[in-house]
Amino acid sequence: MLGKKKVSGRGETTAANYAFSPLEDDIIIKHRLLTRTTTTRGEPPLKKLQKKFTSFVLEVEKDEGNYNDCVRLSKTFLQELSTFEIPLLKSKAVIDANLREKENFNELKDEIDRQILQAQADIEDLKNQLEESKIERQHKEECEAIRKLIAMQPPRSETQKIITELEKEIAALEAENTAGSRLLELRKKQFALLLHVVDELQNTIEEDQKNLMEEMRMATEEQKNGTDDASGGLEAMIVD
């Protein structure tokens, strides 16, 4: 209980606000269902039934001739008991229906959970299929691009013809290269021979020049010696 307040004009103290835990709420609801009390107003049915039963028992325990009063009180008690029992039967029927509804709800919840798990598995499968489809589509696009590239190329017969002509040209060039290599080798030998001849010729010319110079030197010396001899004879003649 959190607090109380007074109602102005009456002077009565009533409960203002209440706070209960979930467990206390369950206990209060269970108590009200058992006692058939849904509000705080009026006398509880179970208390009324107890009073009827107490009145009947007290009347029965009397030693006086009160048969009619006992019958009247018993009928009143049975009527009150029937009035109290019918709502209980209704409540039991409602509880049974709620239990069945709860079981159906639990079964439905299990089925929904199973369907959710199945849907998640289906989503994963669809994701995998989507990835495979993307890869397959990419492969198809690559194959289509290669096919278009191949279609742009000339036929095989023309390609083979071009290859044959190129092979012939290559063979001719190789033959020409071989002939050129042989000619070049021959020219190398001829040039080496020419260099050798030129070298020999140069040596011969140098030797001839040396011989010529030697002959000219000897002729000069002979001429000089002859001149000296002529001068000596002249001098001797003059002395004589």
Side-chain angles (χ1 to χ4, degrees):
M1 183 183 298
L2 296 177
K4 294 182 179 180
K5 67 178 182 179
K6 291 183 179 180
V7 180
S8 61
R10 294 185 180 181
E12 297 177 352
T13 304
T14 58
N17 296 316
Y18 295 89
F20 301 98
S21 64
L23 181 60
E24 292 175 347
D25 289 342
D26 293 340
I27 294 174
I28 293 172
I29 293 172
K30 185 176 181 181
H31 176 71
R32 287 183 177 180
L33 288 174
L34 291 175
T35 58
R36 303 303 303 166
T37 56
T38 57
T39 62
T40 58
R41 297 179 181 179
E43 189 175 12
L46 186 60
K47 191 173 183 180
K48 291 173 63 178
L49 181 63
Q50 183 181 3
K51 286 183 178 181
K52 299 291 183 182
F53 179 74
T54 303
S55 299
F56 172 68
V57 171
L58 291 176
E59 191 68 29
V60 170
E61 289 179 352
K62 291 180 181 181
D63 295 334
E64 300 176 357
N66 54 356
Y67 178 76
N68 291 329
D69 292 334
C70 290
V71 172
R72 180 179 57 80
L73 291 174
S74 66
K75 288 182 178 179
T76 303
F77 170 71
L78 292 175
Q79 183 177 3
E80 187 67 27
L81 180 63
S82 176
T83 304
F84 185 80
E85 184 180 9
I86 290 173
L88 289 179
L89 294 175
K90 290 182 179 179
S91 298
K92 185 177 182 301
V94 172
I95 290 172
D96 293 338
N98 288 334
L99 291 176
R100 289 192 298 271
E101 188 68 20
K102 182 180 178 182
E103 291 178 357
N104 293 333
F105 175 77
N106 290 333
E107 292 178 358
L108 180 61
K109 182 177 179 298
D110 294 338
E111 179 65 20
I112 291 174
D113 291 339
R114 187 188 64 79
Q115 291 179 359
I116 289 173
L117 293 176
Q118 183 64 34
Q120 290 176 350
D122 293 340
I123 289 172
E124 291 297 328
D125 292 338
L126 291 174
K127 286 182 179 179
N128 294 331
Q129 292 178 8
L130 180 61
E131 292 296 329
E132 292 177 357
S133 299
K134 287 181 179 179
I135 295 173
E136 184 178 359
R137 181 177 179 181
Q138 184 179 1
H139 290 169
K140 287 183 179 179
E141 291 177 353
E142 291 175 355
C143 292
E144 182 66 18
I146 293 172
R147 187 191 66 80
K148 291 180 179 179
L149 183 61
I150 292 172
M152 293 172 61
Q153 302 300 321
R156 184 177 180 180
S157 58
E158 295 182 3
T159 306
Q160 187 64 37
K161 183 178 180 180
I162 294 172
I163 291 173
T164 303
E165 292 178 354
L166 290 175
E167 288 177 350
K168 290 179 180 179
E169 291 180 1
I170 291 171
L173 290 173
E174 288 179 351
E176 184 178 354
N177 187 23
T178 303
S181 298
R182 292 177 180 176
L183 181 60
L184 180 61
E185 188 66 25
L186 180 60
R187 292 291 185 268
K188 285 181 179 180
K189 291 179 179 180
Q190 291 176 352
F191 185 71
L193 180 59
L194 179 60
L195 290 177
H196 179 70
V197 171
V198 170
D199 191 24
E200 291 293 332
L201 182 60
Q202 186 176 0
N203 291 333
T204 303
I205 292 172
E206 290 178 355
E207 186 67 26
D208 291 341
Q209 287 179 352
K210 288 180 180 180
N211 294 331
L212 182 60
M213 291 294 293
E214 184 65 24
E215 290 178 357
M216 290 177 63
R217 185 182 64 80
M218 291 177 65
T220 303
E221 289 180 353
E222 290 178 355
Q223 186 177 3
K224 184 178 180 181
N225 291 330
T227 303
D228 292 337
D229 292 338
S231 299
L234 182 60
E235 289 177 356
M237 290 177 64
I238 291 172
V239 171
D240 291 339

